[in-house]
Amino acid sequence: MVSRFDLAGKTFGSRLIIGTGKYRSFDEMKAAHRASGAEMVTVAVNRVPLDRKTESFLDHLDPAMQILPNTAGCYDAEHAIRTARLAREALETDWIKLEVIGDPVTLLPDNEQTLEAARVLVKEGFIVLPYFSDDLIMAKKLLDAGCPAVMPLAAPIGSGMGVQNPSNLRIMREQLPDATIIVDAGVGVPSDAAIAMELGADAILMNTAIAEAGDAEQMATAMKLAVEAGRLAYLSGRMPKRLYASASSPIAGAIK
Amino acid sequence: MVTIILNGEKKEIESEVTLDRLLDLFSLPKQRVAVERNKEVVRKSEWPSTPIRESDVIEVIHFVGGG
């Protein structure tokens, strides 16, 4: 089954993981989640507001979904570790999307702090899925630290720029054939998702590309199809690129 | 009275209050939240026996949409 995705002892029926931020309404989010076929969604950890009543955001998620809390908004290992511990306590899950940001303008990851946090959290029994820059050496270090997968960015968070450095992804795939690689952040349109999957990504995590689409539900369907198409293409093996033409019809035997 | 920092805000509360009571005082939810006292998670089972002391820094978190 092309969509079957095994990760850290669990099997998912989709290679698309999606976020829960930026939707215009809960109904729109739920419709998009359904259409995407995703079986895992990310959520963020945040202070409970003191000045108003809040309803539980989690009530708006399909209970069948695996919830993946993130450490978004953390700028150093210590904050990310504390956030992960809080998320585990509240959700009774060891799964954590580790995100340590290096600066507020680009939201690019701080790889050094990410690695430091990953080492601590793995020792504490967390299933650490780290967001990081698309760098092979960093991927190796995160895997050595005990992360069951690595999550390189395609482009900055929420940028919709698509895979900015396909060579890095391809190198990572070729050099780490057994690693689980989840492209996280930067996908804008289905073709971006397809490219990432064609390059050998095992799964894709996205939020803004669906949530900010004019029709989020329809875009979620498009992303689902793109991820499946890209996966099938990767498994099929693409034709080689050539600088010059290669005729599809026989040249010999054409009438003169 | 004791002064604490609750979710980043300075608050004055009566003395001899437990963490569990603190959540009640501020009408904070108790399901699918987690609490940290001075940077250490306090398990839910320990809320009723955890005293709030002067200068404690308390964080109460829940979940919101995110990517």
Side-chain angles (χ1 to χ4, degrees):
Chain A
M1 192 174 90
V2 66
S3 294
R4 181 189 158 129
F5 177 46
D6 295 315
L7 179 61
K10 288 204 172 184
T11 298
F12 299 93
S14 169
R15 292 178 176 270
L16 180 56
I17 304 165
I18 60 178
T20 56
K22 298 182 181 173
Y23 285 94
R24 287 157 289 224
S25 71
F26 289 129
D27 284 342
E28 184 183 49
M29 178 182 77
K30 282 187 270 193
H33 283 182
R34 269 195 304 275
S36 74
E39 296 183 359
M40 178 151 56
V41 292
T42 55
V43 296
V45 175
N46 216 266
R47 284 172 167 165
V48 177
L50 302 179
D51 57 347
R52 62 194 148 87
K53 275 270 179 209
T54 50
E55 52 179 334
S56 176
F57 176 78
L58 300 176
D59 291 343
H60 296 284
L61 301 178
D62 180 347
M65 289 274 194
Q66 164 91 24
I67 296 177
L68 178 63
N70 68 31
T71 63
C74 293
Y75 282 82
D76 56 47
E78 187 207 331
H79 280 86
I81 291 165
R82 284 170 54 201
T83 301
R85 289 172 180 158
L86 283 164
R88 170 150 77 177
E89 172 65 14
L91 280 179
E92 294 174 357
T93 177
D94 294 328
W95 290 54
I96 191 78
K97 171 184 158 174
L98 177 60
E99 181 177 327
V100 186
I101 297 301
D103 110 294
V105 176
T106 62
L107 298 181
L108 288 170
D110 183 328
N111 288 337
E112 182 191 34
Q113 292 289 304
T114 302
L115 181 60
E116 191 178 320
R119 286 179 173 143
V120 172
L121 291 170
V122 166
K123 281 202 186 83
E124 293 184 11
F126 281 91
I127 292 164
V128 180
L129 306 176
Y131 162 72
F132 73 116
S133 303
D134 52 347
D135 176 83
L136 172 66
I137 309 308
M138 192 64 201
K140 286 185 178 178
K141 290 183 180 183
L142 288 163
L143 293 166
D144 286 346
C147 298
V150 288
M151 303 210 294
L153 55 76
I157 293 171
S159 69
M161 296 280 283
V163 180
Q164 291 297 289
N165 201 332
S167 305
N168 274 0
L169 266 187
R170 202 175 139 198
I171 287 170
M172 205 180 291
R173 177 72 294 160
E174 287 187 9
Q175 294 299 309
L176 302 171
D178 300 324
T180 299
I181 299 172
I182 302 170
V183 167
D184 177 10
V187 164
V189 285
S191 52
D192 299 331
I195 286 169
M197 294 303 290
E198 287 165 18
L199 289 167
D202 293 286
I204 299 188
L205 198 169
M206 67 177 77
N207 188 150
T208 310
I210 294 175
E212 276 190 6
D215 184 330
E217 182 180 8
Q218 195 160 273
M219 186 60 88
T221 303
M223 290 297 186
K224 172 187 154 88
L225 295 171
V227 168
E228 288 174 6
R231 179 66 181 171
L232 277 173
Y234 173 71
L235 295 174
S236 305
R238 64 152 298 150
M239 62 160 282
K241 283 187 181 177
R242 300 184 186 91
L243 190 54
Y244 295 97
S246 167
S248 300
S249 306
I251 303 295
I255 60 165
K256 302 280 190 211
Chain B
M1 301 291 276
V2 295
T3 304
I4 63 167
I5 306 290
L6 176 60
N7 282 6
E9 295 180 27
K10 190 183 270 192
K11 297 286 180 190
E12 287 217 331
I13 56 163
E14 54 196 273
S15 311
E16 314 272 319
V17 165
T18 65
L19 188 46
D20 195 58
R21 176 79 185 124
L22 179 74
L23 299 181
D24 290 335
L25 285 174
F26 287 90
S27 304
L28 298 179
K30 292 185 177 177
Q31 298 302 318
R32 296 207 276 194
V33 301
V35 181
E36 199 187 55
R37 175 173 172 259
N38 301 330
K39 299 188 179 179
E40 298 286 338
V41 172
V42 182
R43 307 294 308 265
K44 193 174 184 180
S45 58
E46 295 164 3
W47 293 352
S49 58
T50 301
I52 301 297
R53 300 198 197 283
E54 176 67 28
S55 304
D56 272 357
V57 178
I58 309 292
E59 298 279 357
V60 186
I61 64 89
H62 65 167
F63 297 92
V64 296

